[in-house]
Amino acid sequence: MKSLIDKLETNHTLSKDEFVQLIQNHTSEDAQHLFERARCLRQKHFGTAVFLRGLIEISSYCHNDCLYCGIRHSNATAERYRLTDEQILSCCAQGHALGFRTFVMQGGEDSKFTDERMVALIRQIKQQYPDSAITLSLGERKRDSYQRMFEAGADRYLLRHETANAEHYGQLHPSWMSHAKRMQCLQDLKEIGYQVGTGFMVGSPFQTAEHLAEDLMFIAQFQPAMVGIGPYIPHHATPFADQPAGTVEQTLFLLGILRVMMPQLLLPATTALGTMDPQGREKGLMAGANVIMPNLSPADDRSKYMIYDNKLATGAESAEGLTELNRIIESVGYHVEQSRGDAPSHIDH
Ligand code: SAH
C-alpha cells in the first residue's frame, strides 16, 4: 500500500482500481504512513496555520428534499427559522470582532433569499468588512444568480457534489434533482471565478468503495479550492433514519488521501467529524485538515439547523468557544491564522 500512497503523491491521482484497493485494503500502519505524508505536505505548503471560517446558518427553510437531510422540505417536524438581514450583519460584527475574516452564509434552498436580497447583503458586508471574504453555500441556483452574487462581492461558493456517481446520486436525492445539474452548477461557479468548494459524505447510504474512488477521481479532475467531507449521520425524521452512520476512521483516511493528492487544498475538519468523536477535530487536523468552521449563528436558532441528529453547536464548535478551540488547535502543534485564508491558487483574488 505504501507504494500506492507514494504514487498518489507523485501523480496527484490514481486509477479507479488503485483508489478502491487503497480504500478497501489498507492496514492501520498504512493509515499512519498516509497521515505522516499528509502532515508533511501540509507543513510544506501551510506551515502550522489553521484557517477559521465563521459559519452563519441563515435559514432552515428548504424547498429541496435531499433524502439524508434533516431540514428537507418533507420533514414537517423540522423547526424552521430565517435570519433577518440585521441578524446576519450582527453575526458578522460579532465574528469580525472575534478575529474572523471569512463569513460563510449557509442555508437551505430558501426562495426568500432572492438574488436582490443576497446582492444587497453581500455589498453591505463587503463595505463594512473589506478585509474579509464572503463564502456562500445556498445550494443550486441559476447561473445568472451565481454571477450576480459574485459581482456583488462574494468570493467563494461551497456546493458538495455529494457523490460523483449519477446512479448513487439518484438514490440520495428526489427525482427532480439531477447529477448533471449539480455538475453544471459546479462548472458555472468555477467559470464565473468563485473559489469553489465541493465534497461528499463518507458512508452515505448505498455508498461503495467504487463510489468513493469516483469521488476522488472527480476531485482530482475538477481541482476545487476546498473539499468538505464528513461522516454521514442519520437524522431520525428522514427516510434514511435507520441507515448506519459513516465512520470517523474512514473519514480520516479520506482526509489523508485528499491532502496527499492535492497538497494545497483547503480541507476542513467538519462539524460532523466533531459530532461523531469528541476528538474529531484534532484527529482531522492530524490527518491533513487545515480549516475549522465555528458557528456564528444566533444561539437561539442554532439548534434548529439540524441537518443530522445531535449536531454540535456549542463548546469549541461555537464562536464563543474560541479559547477552547485555540487550545485544541495548539495541543496538536498548529496555530490559528487570522487571515482570509484564500486558496493558494487564488491569493490575488
Ligand atoms: N443547502 C446547502 C447546504 C447544505 S448543508 C446545499 O445544498 O449546499 C451542507 C452539507 O451537509 C450538505 O452538502 C451535505 O453533504 C451535508 N449533510 C446533509 N445532511 C447530512 C447528514 N445527515 N449527515 C452528514 N452530513 C449531511
Side-chain angles (χ1 to χ4, degrees), residues 57 59 61-62 64 66-71 105-110 136-140 157-162 173 177 182 199-202 205 228-235 238 240 272 305-309 311:
E57 293 159 338
S59 176
Y61 285 89
C62 190
N64 226 325
C66 306
L67 275 72
Y68 44 81
C69 183
I71 62 167
M105 288 187 269
Q106 184 170 78
E109 295 188 7
D110 178 358
L136 303 174
S137 180
L138 305 171
E140 295 183 6
Y157 204 102
L158 308 180
L159 183 70
R160 292 186 176 180
H161 65 283
E162 311 294 1
H173 296 100
M177 287 182 79
R182 174 77 38 157
F200 56 91
M201 290 174 287
V202 178
I229 67 167
Y232 162 72
I233 304 176
H235 184 286
T238 63
F240 292 157
Y305 196 82
M306 248 338 133
I307 53 179
Y308 45 80
D309 288 337
K311 179 168 159 269

Side-chain angles (χ1 to χ4, degrees), residues 68 140 158-166 168-169 172-173 177-180 182-183 186 196-201 207 211-220 222 224 226-229 258:
Y68 44 81
E140 295 183 6
L158 308 180
L159 183 70
R160 292 186 176 180
H161 65 283
E162 311 294 1
T163 168
N165 180 283
H168 187 216
Y169 192 90
L172 301 181
H173 296 100
M177 287 182 79
S178 88
H179 181 254
R182 174 77 38 157
M183 291 291 151
L186 285 166
V196 181
T198 193
F200 56 91
M201 290 174 287
Q207 187 182 64
H211 293 147
L212 288 169
E214 289 178 43
D215 288 324
L216 295 167
M217 290 168 75
F218 164 69
I219 288 165
F222 184 68
M226 174 158 162
V227 173
I229 67 167
L258 286 163

Side-chain angles (χ1 to χ4, degrees), residues 301-322:
D301 292 317
R302 244 176 240 172
S303 62
K304 300 181 198 147
Y305 196 82
M306 248 338 133
I307 53 179
Y308 45 80
D309 288 337
N310 307 316
K311 179 168 159 269
L312 280 192
T314 55
E317 205 56 43
S318 64
E320 315 82 76
L322 268 189

